Amino acid sequence: MTEDKGSLLKDLAKLIPGYGAYVDQESRRNDDRLAREFLKERLGDCKDNLNRYAKKALSAGDFELPVKVEPIHSELDRAQSRLMAAVEGYAGWFGHRDVDASVLKEALDVDQNMVSLVDQIDAIVQKAIEGAELSFDELT
């Protein structure tokens, strides 16, 4: 019964002029924020894995590999810092600026592409930890 009530209330609220678009925009903003938070965590995981790989190389007596890995670690760190510093777009329901839904959709698409790239980077590093040779050409 509560599901029906919630649904009816949502349907009623969407009938208020302009409110449906506002809810859609807020949903896209929330999706963008969640994707960015996920990306920050995944980049942290990638950095941790890269650190493990460098430590493994050091333990094996390879002092050159950590030097090669450092620029990649720095790029991941920079990307993570930019995500943490990114300002979330927000405009209240009665705000005077219109938010273009297509721009919000584009931002979400960019976030999703970044997730894919971070997953690819992490997969390459994971293979290296497991014994494969790290392909610096693929990462740079």
Side-chain angles (χ1 to χ4, degrees), residues 70-86:
E70 184 55 34
I72 298 165
H73 190 278
S74 294
E75 285 297 319
L76 293 175
D77 195 40
R78 185 177 319 139
Q80 190 179 36
S81 295
R82 285 183 178 176
L83 281 170
M84 288 189 286

Side-chain angles (χ1 to χ4, degrees), residues 85-97:
V87 177
E88 293 180 22
Y90 177 77
W93 186 20
F94 296 107
H96 66 280
R97 294 182 65 194

Side-chain angles (χ1 to χ4, degrees), residues 3-52:
E3 280 184 35
D4 290 339
K5 263 189 186 179
S7 178
L8 289 174
L9 289 175
K10 286 179 185 177
D11 290 343
L12 177 63
K14 286 186 178 184
L15 293 175
I16 299 170
Y19 185 74
Y22 168 77
V23 170
D24 290 343
Q25 289 174 354
E26 286 304 306
S27 176
R28 285 188 188 99
R29 282 189 188 103
N30 190 45
D31 290 347
D32 180 55
R33 182 183 55 77
L34 291 172
R36 288 173 190 261
E37 286 177 12
F38 176 77
L39 271 168
K40 286 184 264 185
E41 289 177 22
R42 289 293 290 128
L43 284 167
D45 294 343
C46 281
K47 289 181 352 185
D48 292 344
N49 287 334
L50 207 53
N51 286 339
R52 275 195 299 153

Side-chain angles (χ1 to χ4, degrees), residues 85-128:
V87 177
E88 293 180 22
Y90 177 77
W93 186 20
F94 296 107
H96 66 280
R97 294 182 65 194
D98 290 332
V99 177
D100 187 353
S102 66
V103 171
L104 289 174
K105 171 91 171 77
E106 246 179 76
L108 185 57
D109 290 343
V110 168
D111 291 344
Q112 290 171 344
N113 288 335
M114 287 177 24
V115 169
S116 175
L117 288 172
V118 170
D119 286 344
Q120 290 174 28
I121 292 167
D122 197 40
I124 291 168
V125 174
Q126 284 292 341
K127 286 180 187 174

